[in-house]
Amino acid sequence: QVQLVESGGGLVQAGGSLRVSCLASGRTFSNYAMAWFRQAPGKEREFVAAINWSGGDTLYANSVNGRFTISRDNAKNTVYLQMNSLKPEDTAVYYCAARRREYSVAVGAYDYWGQGTQVTVSS
């Protein structure tokens, strides 16, 4: 079992920045690919960014590419999502997820999920 706990969400004005974190526990963190997803009210959960076990390979959704950066610190069992130039349409609950194999953009591919952290971007 892997337990994931997100933190760092909040309210920010459009154009601002925010960093959310996800602390993992329970198994060897470096064995897992990690990802961030988000879900806005009335919408399906969507892929945001993913990172492989070493941090050497990343993937972003088109909607956040160039604005968001995913990173990880295996010594701290933590994955981060740095969000810059935030837009009102980035408002959502942000979830981190883990899977044992290569990263994926599919919600159903991930074995473990955090409880989510709310990010609200005001216009």
Side-chain angles (χ1 to χ4, degrees), residues 33-54:
M34 301 296 296
W36 287 96
F37 290 78
R38 66 186 181 187
Q39 188 166 18
K43 295 188 176 181
E44 294 186 352
R45 193 169 298 189
E46 64 174 4
F47 170 78
V48 175
I51 190 166
N52 74 334
W53 69 273
S54 69

Side-chain angles (χ1 to χ4, degrees), residues 33-77:
M34 301 296 296
W36 287 96
F37 290 78
R38 66 186 181 187
Q39 188 166 18
K43 295 188 176 181
E44 294 186 352
R45 193 169 298 189
E46 64 174 4
F47 170 78
V48 175
I51 190 166
N52 74 334
W53 69 273
S54 69
D57 188 19
T58 58
L59 180 68
Y60 297 93
N62 290 338
S63 59
V64 306
N65 196 23
R67 300 188 297 123
F68 291 11
T69 302
I70 188 171
S71 62
R72 66 190 296 162
D73 185 338
N74 287 343
K76 295 183 178 180
N77 288 359

Side-chain angles (χ1 to χ4, degrees), residues 4-105:
L4 303 173
V5 178
E6 300 96 335
S7 61
L11 174 64
V12 63
Q13 288 189 333
S17 298
L18 201 62
R19 189 178 79 162
V20 292
S21 303
C22 174
L23 176 64
S25 62
R27 291 292 177 96
T28 304
F29 180 65
S30 58
N31 287 345
Y32 292 83
M34 301 296 296
W36 287 96
F37 290 78
R38 66 186 181 187
Q39 188 166 18
K43 295 188 176 181
E44 294 186 352
R45 193 169 298 189
E46 64 174 4
F47 170 78
V48 175
I51 190 166
N52 74 334
W53 69 273
S54 69
D57 188 19
T58 58
L59 180 68
Y60 297 93
N62 290 338
S63 59
V64 306
N65 196 23
R67 300 188 297 123
F68 291 11
T69 302
I70 188 171
S71 62
R72 66 190 296 162
D73 185 338
N74 287 343
K76 295 183 178 180
N77 288 359
T78 302
V79 62
Y80 306 97
L81 185 68
Q82 176 67 44
M83 302 180 288
N84 299 329
S85 302
L86 282 161
K87 305 175 182 180
E89 50 264 44
D90 294 318
T91 296
V93 177
Y94 283 70
Y95 298 90
C96 70
R99 75 187 303 257
R100 182 75 190 230
R101 293 163 293 279
E102 302 299 319
Y103 61 60
S104 170
V105 302

